[in-house]
Amino acid sequence: MYYIAGISVEGHEEGCDFGFDMVERIILDYCLKELPRDQARILVAEKRFTYYGGGRKWRDTDLLGLTAGVLQIKYRIPLHWENCCATVVGRELLLAALQRIKIKLFNRPGWQCGRPREGHGFFDHIVTYEPDRLRSMLSARKYGIWEHSKDRKKALQILDRFIGFLQEQKNLTRIIFFDDIFCTRLDATAQLKLNNQGIVTGFKYLTPDDVQVYRWSPHIGVWRRS
């Protein structure tokens, strides 16, 4: 699942009751990978990571300003796809980027998911989990055989829906792509925030109030926080 939340003008994080199913999420990520690296970097405000080590080893301010390399080598804090729980991007910048991607795909009749594209870094990558790896995990029994002939049509439909959503959410300054497949945060000890240069901008130990679970509501077709 790909649950979308937002950050309001006042700085409050709020659920949007909006998201994508597994296949839609993968296609959306392939669309986002169409962005050149310099454009994607501008969009990314922060990456969030969950930490699963036990106990309270550091104060909230001890890790601020450290680089990702120091965290991993000195403090033994892993930072990888599997514990990246969210990517935060600017709403207006994201909206403009999606509109550019839509025009690009509209003018490329043969567009398909999975074609080689420009390489991206990790912390400045708008994608929360690498779509090639995620697509390789799909069960053929559940999802069927991937039909590349439908990629472009589905992508344009997903982009239209997301663009429409963002245009309506004018009260939000930032959009949060949550990854609750690999990173549920249910048993996490803490959360770290790093900017697009891989520098720690926030760290906090999690309490039960910080943990959110998202459940699919089929009668209205959205993900809901609980």
Side-chain angles (χ1 to χ4, degrees):
M1 62 177 283
Y2 221 175
Y3 184 84
I4 307 298
I7 299 175
S8 67
V9 176
E10 295 79 18
H12 303 303
E13 184 177 317
E14 54 188 60
C16 296
D17 288 340
F18 182 85
F20 300 97
D21 65 26
M22 180 69 79
V23 173
E24 290 174 335
R25 169 206 170 138
I26 294 172
I27 294 174
L28 175 61
D29 280 345
Y30 278 123
C31 290
L32 293 173
K33 289 190 71 175
E34 291 289 338
L35 290 171
R37 183 173 180 176
D38 59 338
Q39 294 181 24
R41 180 186 296 116
I42 295 172
L43 268 65
V44 178
E46 69 183 26
K47 290 271 191 175
R48 298 181 182 179
F49 296 85
T50 48
Y51 171 68
Y52 296 95
R56 292 177 172 260
K57 302 177 182 179
W58 313 285
R59 294 173 299 177
D60 290 359
T61 57
D62 285 347
L63 305 180
L64 296 182
L66 299 181
T67 65
V70 172
L71 288 182
Q72 295 180 91
I73 296 172
K74 182 177 179 179
Y75 292 90
R76 307 284 184 176
I77 297 177
L79 300 171
H80 44 64
W81 291 110
E82 280 69 21
N83 73 322
C84 180
C85 62
T87 301
V88 182
V89 300
R91 183 190 69 85
E92 291 186 358
L93 292 172
L94 176 61
L95 177 57
L98 292 175
Q99 290 169 331
R100 291 196 302 272
I101 295 171
K102 179 183 174 182
I103 294 172
K104 185 175 182 179
L105 266 61
F106 187 80
N107 290 300
R108 291 176 59 186
W111 184 87
Q112 293 181 357
C113 296
R115 297 265 178 95
R117 290 167 180 84
E118 178 183 354
H120 290 74
F122 182 43
F123 297 102
D124 60 0
H125 199 322
I126 188 172
V127 171
T128 304
Y129 196 91
E130 177 56 49
D132 286 334
R133 298 177 66 184
L134 196 55
R135 183 159 66 95
S136 70
M137 301 176 193
L138 291 181
S139 165
R141 177 177 297 179
K142 181 176 181 179
Y143 295 98
I145 303 300
W146 192 285
E147 297 183 53
H148 283 293
S149 61
K150 298 181 179 180
D151 285 353
R152 178 173 171 272
K153 180 180 179 180
K154 290 180 179 179
L156 290 171
Q157 291 172 342
I158 292 167
L159 290 171
D160 277 338
R161 186 156 64 93
F162 202 6
I163 288 170
F165 164 77
L166 293 175
Q167 288 174 333
E168 294 177 357
Q169 302 297 318
K170 296 180 180 179
N171 62 312
L172 301 178
T173 60
R174 292 181 174 182
I175 298 297
I176 309 171
F177 293 94
F178 277 113
D179 179 4
D180 281 330
I181 298 176
F182 302 100
C183 233
T184 64
R185 290 167 290 161
L186 292 175
D187 56 348
T189 304
Q191 183 180 92
L192 297 100
K193 299 178 181 180
L194 285 82
N195 63 18
N196 60 16
Q197 296 177 315
I199 297 174
V200 180
T201 58
F203 174 83
K204 66 173 293 188
Y205 287 101
L206 298 177
T207 68
D209 292 336
D210 294 314
V211 177
Q212 302 288 340
V213 178
Y214 307 97
R215 293 187 173 87
W216 178 251
S217 299
H219 60 291
I220 54 176
V222 297
W223 291 101
R224 283 189 173 277
R225 271 185 172 189
S226 61

